[in-house]
Structures are given as C-alpha cells and as structure tokens.
Amino acid sequence: MPEPMVVGIDIAGQTFLVPFGLGSPVKRFLNNRNGRKTLLRRLRRMAVELIVMGPKETLVRDLVGTREAAGFNPTIVDPGQA
C-alpha cells in the first residue's frame, strides 16, 4: 500500500497547481469540470491523508464541493499561516 501523503493545492485563477510528492513536478489542472475530474481520478489512486488549500472564494467552493463528494475532506488554510 502507498505511504499516506499530504497534497497541497494552489488555486491560481483559471488553473490550480498540485505537487504529488517531494521532488515531483507540479501538475497544472484547468479549474473546470474536466480538470477537477482529472484531479479526482489521480487522487483516488493515491493514499491521500490530507488535502490543504488556501481560501479563494468561488474557485475553492467548486473544487472543495467536488472533492468532498468524492470522499476527500480538504482543509482550508490562510497562506500566511501555512
């Protein structure tokens, strides 16, 4: 079984950036239905312990709602405190 990991998501306008482990390249996803579905498929193949993201209003709401429906419970943090 894969080792549990923490995934951080940086929402940047029409895209969001996700590194999948230390030293791995950052993957860019479009912040739309297809981009969110692609991210979900990838996260389901991993042992995700925690998802952390900053509060960016409607962009976060779209992404959080999608992931929560899939069984992931993201944590919203203030980037200044992270």
Side-chain angles (χ1 to χ4, degrees):
M1 176 174 241
E3 187 173 324
M5 66 184 304
V6 174
V7 175
I9 299 175
D10 180 20
I11 299 173
Q14 299 302 311
T15 63
F16 52 96
L17 307 172
V18 184
F20 290 101
L22 295 174
S24 67
V26 174
K27 177 77 174 156
R28 180 183 306 269
F29 297 88
L30 290 177
N31 191 6
N32 61 23
R33 175 177 244 164
N34 288 334
R36 292 187 294 269
K37 283 182 166 185
T38 301
L39 174 61
L40 279 173
R41 281 193 300 270
R42 184 138 184 200
L43 291 175
R44 285 187 188 123
R45 295 188 309 245
M46 305 167 82
V48 177
E49 183 175 326
L50 178 65
I51 296 172
V52 180
M53 54 200 284
K56 295 247 179 139
E57 300 164 11
T58 58
L59 300 175
V60 168
R61 186 176 44 218
D62 290 343
L63 197 55
V64 167
T66 299
R67 279 203 318 274
E68 285 177 339
F72 295 104
N73 294 309
T75 299
I76 309 298
V77 297
D78 179 342
Q81 294 177 348

